[in-house]
Amino acid sequence: MGPFAVDMLKDKVVLITGGATGLGRAMGEQCLALGAKLAITSRREEVLKQAADEMSSQGGEVFYSSCDVRHPDQVASLVNAVEKHYGHIDVLINNAAGNFISPTERLSPRAVDAVLGIVLHGTFYMSLELGKRWIEQGRRGTMLNIVTTYASTGSGYVVPSAAAKAGVLALTRSLAVEWAPHGIRQVAIAPGAFPTEGAWSRLSPTPELEQKMLARLPLGRVGTKEELGHLAAFLISDYASYINGEVITIDGGEWLRGAGQFNDLAEVTEEQWDILTELTKKGK
Ligand code: HXC
Ligand code: NAP
């Protein structure tokens, strides 16, 4: 039993890129549970088919069609296929991404292009294709872009992703104003740590790296797919219809933990605090 009325997204047609795995799938499952009609896409047809079968077995309709969002012609064919199937599209969730950790000086131009192509160009092509159609059709719509907390702060060792996600955030805020007169709304979510096979295998590939990452989390835990799904469902629903151009962070306070200069003092023990208190009092 979730927090929302079961018809909150009734009959909304939601298209999710990267919708067969990880967070994309979690958002899709949430949309289905709230009455939406779902379309999912990604590169791997067999993964899409299996996900669509499993997801629709819980009830609701799941249409799938493969597409590499780096290719505008494939993006156009995808949107044609979804419109042909459902008649129209109400919501686009730009969730597909590529990422891996690497010292930047080790990257080849192809490695940079792989990530920028999926995240920045892919998101732009999807938004452009649908935006043009919605404007021409006089149809209102919502675009939800999945970014990251380091879209705002930047981050070493994932620099193509940081640059691309920052671009997506700029796209979100720019189109929020430009396309608002057409009734097209833009929102973004910046997730923190949500363990998925796709992200963990590329970003936390050893227990040591995972431990380091977990130790940074102020709430002492990672996020759950349900928590992310609920936020996404609210943001694409009519209840969020006056939210436009905002990015909502869902990271348990992780980025603020990194930002506050004195937050590492969380590691100081009670005994050490006794000494430190004496020393700082003397500083009066
Ligand atoms: C250095 C790498 C590399 C790595 C690939 N390359 N992986 N370089 N370190 N780990 C280089 C390759 O050598 C090649 O360059 C170039 O990148 C393209 O590689 P391909 O394998 O041909 O690319 P492609 O098949 O298009 O795959 C794209 C990909 C892959 C991004 C590299 O990882 C992918 O498909 N990812 C999709 C799913 C994903 O990444 N999910 C995680 C999202 S998580 P050369 O020059 O050798 O040819 C996320 C979370 C953020 O975004 C925040 C978390 C807290
Ligand atoms: P994931 O399961 O690896 O999701 C990435 C999806 O994108 C996959 O389904 C993949 O499917 C698809 N994809 C990749 N390249 C594509 C392309 N060229 N065309 C179409 N689809 C493509 O990882 P995830 O953790 O769920 O990530 C989902 C989103 O959340 C991403 O935007 C990510 O940046 C963001 N995020 C995740 C975390 C986290 O902790 N997990 C944190 C911050 C942000 P195919 O390989 O079949 O194409």
Side-chain angles (χ1 to χ4, degrees):
M1 186 68 183
F4 303 123
V6 290
D7 61 352
M8 187 170 82
L9 301 177
K10 193 166 168 43
D11 293 337
K12 274 197 196 298
V13 178
V14 181
L15 168 58
I16 307 182
T17 66
T21 67
L23 302 185
R25 175 156 173 174
M27 290 187 281
E29 284 169 353
Q30 188 61 227
C31 290
L32 282 177
L34 299 172
K37 294 175 179 168
L38 192 60
I40 57 174
T41 191
S42 68
R43 292 165 298 180
R44 292 168 298 167
E45 177 104 18
E46 65 291 354
V47 176
L48 285 170
K49 182 182 180 337
Q50 190 180 340
D53 287 348
E54 289 170 6
M55 291 163 89
S56 54
S57 71
Q58 308 294 314
E61 190 176 353
V62 184
F63 173 80
Y64 70 89
S65 180
S66 65
C67 164
D68 186 330
V69 295
R70 292 175 284 195
H71 300 296
D73 52 333
Q74 291 188 31
V75 166
S77 304
L78 164 74
V79 177
N80 283 340
V82 180
E83 285 190 338
K84 186 160 181 245
H85 185 81
Y86 284 124
H88 69 276
I89 297 167
D90 297 296
V91 177
L92 166 65
I93 302 185
N94 281 307
N95 164 80
N99 198 5
F100 49 78
I101 46 171
S102 174
T104 305
E105 66 275 17
R106 286 184 175 223
L107 295 172
S108 68
R110 282 199 72 234
V112 173
D113 288 352
V115 175
L116 286 174
I118 303 169
V119 178
L120 183 55
H121 288 84
T123 301
F124 209 129
Y125 296 153
M126 287 295 311
S127 299
L128 187 60
E129 185 64 40
L130 258 176
K132 280 182 181 177
R133 292 185 194 216
W134 283 343
I135 290 167
E136 202 181 294
Q137 296 162 1
R139 176 172 286 283
R140 306 173 76 79
T142 300
M143 296 179 179
L144 166 59
N145 297 326
I146 308 303
V147 293
T148 60
T149 49
Y150 59 65
S152 303
T153 62
S155 175
Y157 306 98
V158 283
V159 173
S161 171
K165 295 284 192 182
V168 172
L169 192 50
L171 180 71
T172 309
R173 291 171 169 156
S174 305
L175 291 181
V177 176
E178 189 179 335
W179 284 354
H182 299 288
I184 301 173
R185 197 164 63 83
Q186 308 280 327
V187 278
I189 293 178
F194 287 79
T196 62
E197 158 62 25
W200 254 226
S201 62
R202 294 174 175 92
L203 301 169
S204 283
T206 67
E208 292 74 28
L209 282 178
E210 185 183 25
Q211 218 27 63
K212 238 185 167 97
M213 195 269 296
L214 296 176
R216 289 166 40 85
L217 305 176
L219 287 177
R221 67 168 179 89
V222 293
T224 68
K225 290 176 182 175
E226 290 71 25
E227 287 169 326
L228 187 104
H230 290 145
L231 176 59
F234 169 70
L235 285 175
I236 62 172
S237 78
D238 295 339
Y239 293 105
S241 49
Y242 206 53
I243 301 178
N244 186 24
E246 281 304 307
V247 55
I248 314 292
T249 297
I250 177 166
D251 75 341
E254 183 191 6
W255 87 266
L256 290 169
R257 164 77 166 80
Q261 266 184 312
F262 291 93
N263 285 339
D264 284 342
L265 294 180
E267 285 154 24
V268 174
T269 64
E270 287 301 316
E271 293 71 31
Q272 288 169 330
W273 270 122
D274 290 341
I275 299 165
L276 288 172
T277 304
E278 283 311 307
L279 287 171
T280 50
K281 274 185 179 166
K282 275 184 203 149
K284 274 199 290 198

